[in-house]
Amino acid sequence: MTQPPIMGNPEAPTTAEDTATSHHTGGTSANGTPTAGRGPVPRVGGLPAALKRRVPKYADLAPLMQFQKPDFGREAKLRRASTIWDLRDIAKRRTPKAPFDYTDGAAEAEITLRRARQAFLDIEFRPGILRDVSSVDLGTEILGKAARLPFGIAPTGFTRMMQSEGEYAGSRAAAAAGIPYTLSTMGTASIEDVAAAAPDGRNWFQLYLWTDRDRSLELIERAAQAGNDTLMVTVDTAVAGARLRDVRNGMTIPPALTLKTVLDASYRPAWWFNFLTHEPLTFASLSRYTGTVADLINSMFDPTLTFADLDWLRETWKGKLVVKGIQTVDDARKVVDHGADGIVLSNHGGRQLDRAPIPFHLLPEVSAALKADNSDAAVILDTGIMSGADIIAALALGADFTLIGRAYLYGLMAGGRAGVDRAIQILETDMRRTMALLGVSRISELTPDHVRLLAR
């Protein structure tokens, strides 16, 4: 009785009988070499010649020996940073705890910040294939002018406290990248100095309306005279949020030299050397201040603000007017009805009301509502952005533009102007790669179909 053939494991070792030769039914050429078909294939010790071990030759090793001199300098560390999280790690090592936590932290239990970042993780991209993505254009238009990239730098307070180059590094890096830079009322460089530092940049000014309207008017006039084309009024700060890291660190303006800070400085001497050998912190809105961060914020914020104040601003400011801190669909519609040219969906980076709405979750509904109203107001989004893929997801779901705050501050703390440049480069590289893999070559081609929100 004939035995049926047995199918073996193709990766199992073969026997000596199997490996001695392989037979081939082809013929030979005139010089005796095998022709096409099956025939004897030389084997060495039962293995193909390529798999027999041998002593490597120097000529084979030389191309593999590409040793480089170790480089531990700041520039090398920045080059090796591949993500914003990498920059954050460098920043944490270089910056004292109090200013680092001021940047890194949020209000109360920091639930809002965690949820905002998680929102960008809880998505699925839906790529298209067989599209020509040999050239990806990240350019867009925001508030009537072109931007080379679909994000700008958000307003951040006390920026020279994070690193001595502060707003000067941020504004110059933004100008070089062809994106807007927003100076905060609580910035540590004056409106005029920032304009002088980046004369070719597109500078915006962020305003906290004070109870003293004359002082607010003075800032508005200075911003206009310095060439700022957009005024961004922040409206989510009736009182200061409970930023518990700052409370626990005893955060003051300027930083106080307590025993705790002196000990912290011993690990970060470069930061303290820069801080102590440069001009003391000054602000866009006041020349000097000494006290806690919360005291300063509460002295500046106006809890009596209403839509009537927005009407006053619209009449006073002749440029583009953007309202930052929108967290509901109704408020988005209302501020547009009161003359806003754009809105920023933002919960202040999670630094005001903990458990506040997440801008990324709110985005599709707000975008749809404004479109239904035939509004051409710009929809801008911030909070939680830590990668270029996050920005692309926001644009796909209806944002016209985005702002980065912590992401650029991590770069600033990691390496000053060079660190901000690196943060922008990382985000740009992320965006180009994500767009190409989605099968999209222009921002205008992004649609909600490119993103699916995953259920948790």
Side-chain angles (χ1 to χ4, degrees):
M1 180 174 173
T2 304
Q3 293 291 330
I6 299 174
M7 300 299 293
N9 180 353
E11 296 183 359
T14 53
T15 66
E17 181 180 358
D18 293 332
T19 59
T21 59
S22 294
H23 293 283
H24 132 209
T25 57
T28 58
S29 64
N31 62 8
T33 58
T35 58
R38 298 183 60 204
V41 177
R43 301 268 181 152
V44 179
L47 292 172
L51 299 183
K52 182 183 177 183
R53 294 191 184 278
R54 61 187 179 84
V55 177
K57 299 177 181 178
Y58 176 79
D60 297 330
L61 293 175
L64 305 176
M65 299 171 66
Q66 301 292 328
F67 298 115
Q68 294 182 345
K69 181 180 178 181
D71 189 348
F72 302 107
R74 184 183 71 172
E75 291 74 15
K77 290 179 181 179
L78 293 176
R79 285 195 302 271
R80 290 194 292 268
S82 299
T83 67
I84 299 299
W85 291 104
D86 290 342
L87 291 177
R88 180 185 178 275
D89 290 341
I90 300 171
K92 189 172 184 179
R93 292 193 295 269
R94 294 179 59 89
T95 312
K97 182 174 176 58
F100 178 83
D101 278 354
Y102 175 80
T103 300
D104 196 60
E108 301 179 41
E110 303 188 358
I111 295 168
T112 296
L113 179 57
R114 288 196 298 274
R115 287 178 178 173
R117 286 177 174 162
Q118 187 64 44
F120 286 108
L121 301 179
D122 291 339
I123 65 166
E124 176 183 87
F125 281 122
R126 310 183 76 179
I129 61 170
L130 299 177
R131 273 77 163 178
D132 181 359
V133 290
S134 56
S135 177
V136 173
D137 182 6
L138 294 173
T140 190
E141 183 178 292
I142 184 65
L143 297 169
K145 293 186 179 181
R148 194 180 69 84
L149 302 171
F151 68 88
I153 290 183
T156 58
F158 316 135
T159 313
R160 285 182 53 229
M161 183 175 62
M162 288 61 152
Q163 202 272 353
S164 58
E165 295 178 60
E167 288 86 0
Y168 303 106
S171 59
R172 286 171 172 162
I179 61 176
Y181 174 82
T182 315
L183 174 65
S184 171
T185 298
M186 299 173 72
T188 45
S190 73
I191 299 169
E192 294 78 12
D193 284 351
V194 168
D200 298 324
R202 185 180 184 188
N203 293 322
W204 297 353
F205 182 69
Q206 177 270 335
L207 178 72
Y208 289 115
L209 269 175
W210 298 354
T211 51
D212 184 346
R213 291 294 183 265
D214 288 339
R215 297 188 72 184
S216 296
L217 182 59
E218 178 187 348
L219 286 176
I220 293 169
E221 291 173 346
R222 286 172 58 192
Q225 291 170 4
N228 290 258
D229 64 69
T230 297
L231 183 69
M232 183 182 296
V233 58
T234 297
V235 295
D236 59 359
T237 51
V239 296
R243 302 172 191 178
L244 299 184
R245 290 205 216 181
D246 295 345
V247 174
R248 291 164 184 151
N249 289 330
M251 178 72 168
T252 61
I253 304 296
L257 286 171
T258 63
L259 177 60
K260 182 178 180 180
T261 56
V262 169
L263 289 174
D264 193 35
S266 66
Y267 299 99
R268 301 163 179 91
W271 184 94
W272 279 103
F273 177 77
N274 285 332
F275 179 78
L276 295 173
T277 58
H278 285 90
E279 174 72 20
L281 298 186
T282 58
F283 297 85
S285 55
L286 64 160
S287 58
R288 292 288 188 275
Y289 180 84
T290 300
T292 68
V293 173
D295 288 342
L296 174 58
I297 291 172
N298 283 325
S299 73
M300 295 179 64
F301 295 170
D302 182 359
T304 70
L305 284 182
T306 68
F307 283 95
D309 297 293
L310 186 58
D311 294 334
W312 175 79
L313 266 182
R314 180 67 284 177
E315 293 175 4
T316 304
W317 176 257
K318 304 308 178 185
K320 297 293 185 180
L321 178 63
V322 173
V323 180
K324 180 177 182 289
I326 302 301
Q327 299 174 69
T328 69
V329 174
D330 286 345
D331 281 345
R333 283 175 151 157
K334 285 179 182 177
V335 298
V336 171
D337 288 342
H338 282 261
D341 298 299
I343 62 169
V344 181
L345 296 178
S346 171
N347 57 36
H348 216 99
R351 297 164 66 80
Q352 285 295 103
L353 175 67
D354 209 9
R355 300 179 181 86
I358 303 306
F360 187 65
H361 289 161
L362 190 61
L363 175 59
E365 191 177 357
V366 168
S367 178
L370 293 183
K371 285 180 181 177
D373 294 343
N374 295 316
S375 171
D376 60 357
V379 178
I380 303 171
L381 180 138
D382 77 6
T383 303
I385 292 173
M386 289 291 283
S387 74
D390 296 344
I391 294 173
I392 296 303
L395 297 172
L397 288 184
D400 297 303
F401 203 66
T402 60
L403 296 174
I404 58 167
R406 288 182 179 90
Y408 105 87
L409 289 176
Y410 292 138
L412 176 68
M413 291 186 288
R417 162 69 192 278
V420 181
D421 288 336
R422 185 62 185 141
I424 294 172
Q425 291 165 4
I426 288 171
L427 294 175
E428 180 175 356
T429 299
D430 286 351
M431 288 188 293
R432 290 192 184 280
R433 180 179 59 250
T434 303
M435 292 266 287
L437 292 174
L438 282 174
V440 172
S441 59
R442 290 185 297 276
I443 297 296
S444 59
E445 296 174 2
L446 289 167
T447 73
D449 290 338
H450 288 108
V451 178
R452 185 165 73 94
L453 301 178
L454 301 178
R456 284 181 63 80

